[in-house]
Structures are given as C-alpha cells and as structure tokens.
Amino acid sequence: MTSSGTGWSGGAFGDRAQCVLAPNADTMTLDGTNTWVLREPGAQRCVVIDPGPMIESHLDAIAQAAGGRGNVGAVLLTHHHHDHSEAAKEFAQRMGCGVRALDPEYRLGSEGLGDGDVVEVDGLEVHVVGTPGHTADSLSFLLPAERAVLTGDTVLGRGTTVVAHPDGELGAYLGSLDRLHALAEAQEATVVWPGHGPVIDDALGAIDFYISHRRERLAQVETAWRSLLERHDPPATDDLPMAVVEIVYSDVDPVLWGAAEWSVRAQLAYLQR
Ligand SMILES: [Zn+2]
C-alpha cells in the first residue's frame, strides 16, 4: 500500500501490522483514524490498538482483520480522544476481550496500562512508553520485533499535532518527544506508525522535525505574546491567545485556528510556568 502523499489508505506493514483506516476523515483527523491490528506471524490472537469511532462498517473491517471473536488478546488505547476510543468497549465486547488504557474510565476489565508495561499476546511483544503531552493519558507502543513505534496523536503521519491545553501540556510533550527521539537515535524505533496519516519510514528525521518545529513555534508565540503585551492597549487576558494565533498562524487556514488557540494556550502556560 502507499505510504506517502494524500493516497493513504492503510494496509499491511512489516510482518506484524495491518492498518485499518476508519472512514472519519476531517480537518482534525487527516485521512481518518488509523486502527492497528498487530499479530505475531502465524499466531492466532492479535492486539488491536485504537478501534476508533463508532462506525459500524469500520468495526466490521477491524473484526475481519482481527479474525473475529476470540482472536483478539487485548484492545489498547493510545489516549482517550473519541476518534480513537469511542468504539473500544463495544468492539472489545464483540471480540470477547478487555480494553486497556491509562485512564481507568476507558478500560473494560481490570487490567490497566502504563509506562514500562509489556503486553504479550501469543508471542507478540508490545512495550508501553508513556508519552504525555498531546493529552495527559497519551501512550506510545514500541514493537521491538519491527523496530516500530505506534505514536497515536503524539507524532502524526503528516503535519504536526495539537497540545490541547489544559489536558495537554507542552513541557510534558517536549519531554515525550525527547524520549521518542532517544528511541529513534538508539535505532529501537526506525519507523513511526501514527494514529493519523501515513506511516513514516524515517522515525529520527520525523521526530527531529517535530522538535525543531515545536521550538520554532514556541519562539514565535513568545515574540508575538511580548509584542502584544507591549502595546498601548494590550488585549484582555482572555483575548490574548487568539490575538497570538492571528499573528503566528496567519499562514494557516482559519478553520484550524480553534485548534491553534488551544495549542497557543498550552504554549503561553509553558512560557509562564
Ligand atoms: Zn487525540
């Protein structure tokens, strides 16, 4: 399957992964949510990551890729956002397994999920890496056998992600990028299998770009913020984030300014920490 450009439609990757693309494309989800079905070659049961939105045809497609009821060892969530989690409990019930997530509210069954956990299903090993920032409960999943890291919304296949203040937190996010960078530098993760958009064949390059983009934006936000405060009639505190957006994101489609405002709020919180 294609892994670049706008023709992303999911498909098989490495020897262990099948990406089933959900039909929920919009400005925030890019091509739609990537649901990942992971299975050790020849094994019966698989792991399903992010069943995605409650769309019947999508659940049927994942169930088919997973091999039907009894063939899913666990459903794991990268984070709680609805486009990743909405169908999780329903899908797990149909498959006869649990849902494991960092946030207890999104679990089905007694098993949690957190940094350092290793999930093993029929020989498949998934290592959990805590990567808070996009949300407080964001996790990434490392597949050592594929040297792949599944990043949810922490690193996307295209463009950059939103740190959604106040649940998301920029200091934590920068720390998470550093952690992913270290995994890529050590060649423990050479490819990124993201929660939206195409797979990335150069994990280190992509994470480098994310880090430099984030630092650049932060510097732009700081400059805009200081210039607004120095004005004769500075904007009211509540209007300040959007005033910063209008300066820094002037090159971005205004349809995305709402999301940009949350990102700016996260950056202002970070600058004022
Ligand atoms: Zn998200």
Side-chain angles (χ1 to χ4, degrees):
M1 306 295 289
T2 179
S3 66
S4 63
T6 52
W8 172 247
S9 54
F13 296 92
D15 297 322
R16 292 169 178 81
Q18 177 84 28
C19 176
V20 183
L21 177 63
N24 62 332
D26 67 26
T27 53
M28 291 302 293
T29 66
L30 304 179
D31 317 71
T33 302
N34 293 333
T35 296
W36 291 92
V37 178
L38 310 173
R39 176 184 271 115
E40 195 64 14
Q44 191 206 332
R45 292 183 310 153
C46 62
V47 167
V48 173
I49 295 180
D50 289 353
M54 196 55 224
I55 298 173
E56 210 50 53
S57 63
H58 181 57
L59 295 201
D60 289 346
I62 320 167
Q64 194 177 7
R69 188 175 173 85
N71 289 314
V72 182
V75 169
L76 312 182
L77 292 181
T78 59
H79 65 303
H80 73 276
H81 281 163
H82 268 209
D83 57 321
H84 298 259
S85 70
E86 188 184 29
K89 287 181 184 174
E90 168 75 24
F91 177 74
Q93 256 154 0
R94 289 188 198 180
M95 296 298 108
C97 68
V99 178
R100 298 180 61 175
L102 184 65
D103 185 338
E105 207 182 304
Y106 292 83
R107 295 175 191 160
L108 180 68
S110 56
E111 281 186 297
L113 197 64
D115 182 50
D117 285 351
V118 177
V119 177
E120 216 197 309
V121 171
D122 289 1
L124 180 84
E125 253 189 40
V126 179
H127 294 223
V128 182
V129 184
T131 49
H134 169 68
T135 59
D137 69 340
S138 286
L139 300 173
S140 293
F141 301 114
L142 182 70
L143 247 78
E146 297 284 349
R147 290 199 286 173
V149 62
L150 291 95
T151 49
D153 284 2
T154 299
V155 175
L156 299 176
R158 230 198 332 275
T160 58
T161 198
V162 168
V163 174
H165 182 75
D167 179 35
E169 206 256 299
L170 186 60
Y173 185 68
L174 292 170
S176 293
L177 288 182
D178 285 344
R179 191 147 180 221
L180 292 173
H181 191 268
L183 286 176
E185 215 166 36
Q187 303 255 305
E188 288 183 57
T190 57
V191 294
V192 173
W193 293 345
H196 302 278
V199 299
I200 299 168
D201 294 328
D202 173 16
L204 188 58
I207 296 161
D208 265 338
F209 165 74
Y210 260 66
I211 292 171
S212 60
H213 168 82
R214 196 53 68 174
R215 298 268 173 213
E216 234 166 70
R217 274 289 192 229
L218 191 60
Q220 289 169 341
V221 165
E222 182 163 19
T223 304
W225 174 53
R226 294 200 187 284
S227 76
L228 286 165
L229 288 182
E230 280 161 14
R231 270 190 198 168
H232 234 39
D233 51 344
T237 310
D238 266 5
D239 301 334
L240 198 56
M242 194 39 96
V244 170
V245 168
E246 284 169 16
I247 297 170
V248 174
Y249 292 81
S250 59
D251 59 332
V252 168
D253 189 334
V255 89
L256 295 171
W257 281 7
E261 185 182 354
W262 291 110
S263 180
V264 164
R265 283 182 188 275
Q267 292 178 78
L268 293 178
Y270 177 79
L271 291 167
Q272 294 169 86
R273 73 197 181 280

